[in-house]
Amino acid sequence: GSLADVLQLAVPPRSARAERQESPAPLPPPDRPAPGSWARYEHGPAYLDALASGAAPRAVWNALPGPQWCEELARAVAATLASGRGALVVVPDGRAAARVDAALTGLLGAGRHALLTADAGPEKRYRQWLAVSRGSVRAVVGTRAAMFAPVRDLGLVAIWDDGDDNHSEQHAPQPHAREVLLLRASLDRCAFLLGSRSCTVEAAQLVESGWARPLAAGREQVRAAAPLVRTVGDEDLARDEAARAARLPSLAWQIAREGLKHGPVLVQVPRRGYVPRMACANCRAAARCRHCAGPLQGQDAGVLRCGWCGRDEGSWHCPECGAFRLRAQVVGARRTAEELGRAFPAVPVRTSGREQVLDTVPGTPALVVSTPGAEPVAEGGYAAALLLDGWAMLSRPDLRAAEDALRRWTGAAALVRPQQAGGTVVVVAEPTLRPVQALVRWDPVGHAVRELAERAELGFPPVSRMASVAGLGEAVAEFLGAVGLPADAQVLGPVPVPVTRADGPRRTGGPPPGEHWERALIRVPPGSGSALAAALKSAQAARMARGNGEADRAGRVRVRIDPPDIG
């Protein structure tokens, strides 16, 4: 990326009216806060004391289940402000930002921090940014773009849930909030706090290398705060008549029925919509469109429709065995809500997903069907949670599939009441799998450490540095032949990239519809990342300088350093 690319991400659009307004005078430093719920962690009070004394501690914080994480972040910010320095907190979405904003306002009062999110609107956002730039406000809470906020006398940078995809910017130069904050912590020599209920391999590497210290609670505190986790595997489903007839195993029905006596029950479904995929009920062959071979999907009115060409299918039969009956391969959130509504007719059913994301739900009995990441917070916590179709998340062809599944399960299970209060979680996934065992033991850190060890043996990120080069086959081959790679670089591929459908969603950075792209991965050991980036940038600049308009566009390639998904 260029300097202009970075400035476009760092500086919000200018508002002349906001620029003419004077920012308020800065407030004096607040008093040092009490440890509060940080006392639950072995070194929590000591970390706050170090911040308040002007030190620069660096920690990877494994937060306990429950809603206290936003209050704990607020106390870390307050301790930094008490030392006369500034603080910056980056969260993945507007809902999390609103919770931290409310916690900071309740702890310190209004006027001591700025909220930088796109939901605020251009003028208000620019006015808040000016207040930070002028030194009127010393604390910032915001989403991804806030990673560049010009906080004066920076004393703490913090990021919550660094595994969330929202932290990865899709515009050039495609920075990740975690990496930017790591750079700012090193350059400004300030404190660093990476917090999450789960743990990424990057966070585990920070602790493994000694750059940061672990900040976690003892096993007694974990057992007191976590719910009971029960599993339903393939053998259980095979013996379960109810599961074969209705997708939900008997154990899930029992836990849901018991939980509804005491409060709301959360149901996590890894797909939105109604019935995203259908298959033959007899031989399990995927149901395909007769016109384009696209996948058939069930609609609300019971109509089958192709997911590619949009044609309705009224007389489907299986070309493999001739059967006429269909079954759902994956059932979406709306269909799940419909089924649960029929099973529990006296209980209200709420849905939270892409179309409408709920922030909170009352503590009265209700079924809350949500897609991963859109789970609302229940007053007093959920009585139970059902994590359905675990195989759908674990079987994704991605290096981070297991880590991401555990992160999403942990995020949902953390909203459930502790085991001592009757909170129970049922996960429908094979219990012998490593991420399922980590959820049962509530040990995301141990899972991340083992993942990091395996990646070190295989030479995968984050142990190595990696870049992807994608484009038409001839263009990729020409680029790889011209670039002067470091001597220790290793080229993997190229391999074909899945073709994007004209009527389907296009992934950021993916090929245009209908084009057959290839992708190569270039891997270097630690210490050679800068040399790799410099070589790729020089080769890309040379190709762009030789460009001659529309005819040359087919020869362009897309280069990304440290791609978040490498398959």
Side-chain angles (χ1 to χ4, degrees), residues 156-317:
L156 170 68
V157 290
I159 182 171
W160 173 254
D161 197 8
D162 65 307
D164 195 296
D165 295 339
N166 290 326
H167 283 303
S168 181
E169 175 62 59
Q170 299 300 331
H171 296 90
Q174 301 172 322
H176 193 286
R178 178 188 57 241
E179 307 306 320
V180 172
L181 295 185
L182 284 170
L183 287 172
R184 295 192 70 172
S186 298
L187 295 173
D188 292 338
R189 298 181 180 178
C190 64
F192 177 82
L193 180 62
L194 188 156
S196 178
R197 296 190 185 101
S198 186
C199 185
T200 61
V201 289
E202 287 82 4
Q205 187 187 36
L206 292 176
V207 176
E208 190 82 8
S209 65
W211 192 88
R213 299 292 299 274
L215 188 56
R219 293 307 300 175
E220 294 289 337
Q221 288 286 355
V222 173
R223 282 191 287 268
L228 172 66
V229 179
R230 303 182 66 179
T231 63
V232 177
D234 293 339
E235 293 185 2
D236 301 315
L237 292 174
R239 295 192 301 264
D240 194 337
E241 292 290 339
R244 288 200 296 270
R247 190 170 78 96
L248 278 186
S250 298
L251 177 62
W253 287 109
Q254 295 167 7
I255 296 299
R257 187 177 294 109
E258 185 65 27
L260 288 171
K261 298 177 182 179
H262 309 286
V265 173
L266 176 65
V267 182
Q268 186 192 73
V269 183
R271 295 287 192 277
R272 61 187 179 92
Y274 197 71
V275 183
R277 293 291 183 269
M278 304 293 291
C280 175
N282 184 42
C283 68
R284 303 299 190 264
R288 295 285 180 179
C289 174
R290 290 181 294 174
H291 301 279
C292 69
L296 293 181
Q297 302 175 356
Q299 307 299 313
D300 294 5
V303 178
L304 287 178
R305 181 170 298 163
C306 177
W308 289 3
C309 67
R311 288 186 172 95
D312 291 343
E313 178 60 73
S315 58
W316 178 90
H317 70 277

Side-chain angles (χ1 to χ4, degrees), residues 118-143:
D119 298 336
E123 182 179 343
K124 182 179 179 181
R125 183 182 179 187
Y126 190 66
R127 184 168 60 249
Q128 295 272 53
W129 186 87
L130 284 176
V132 176
S133 179
R134 293 167 179 170
S136 299
V137 178
R138 307 291 291 277
V140 171
V141 176
T143 48

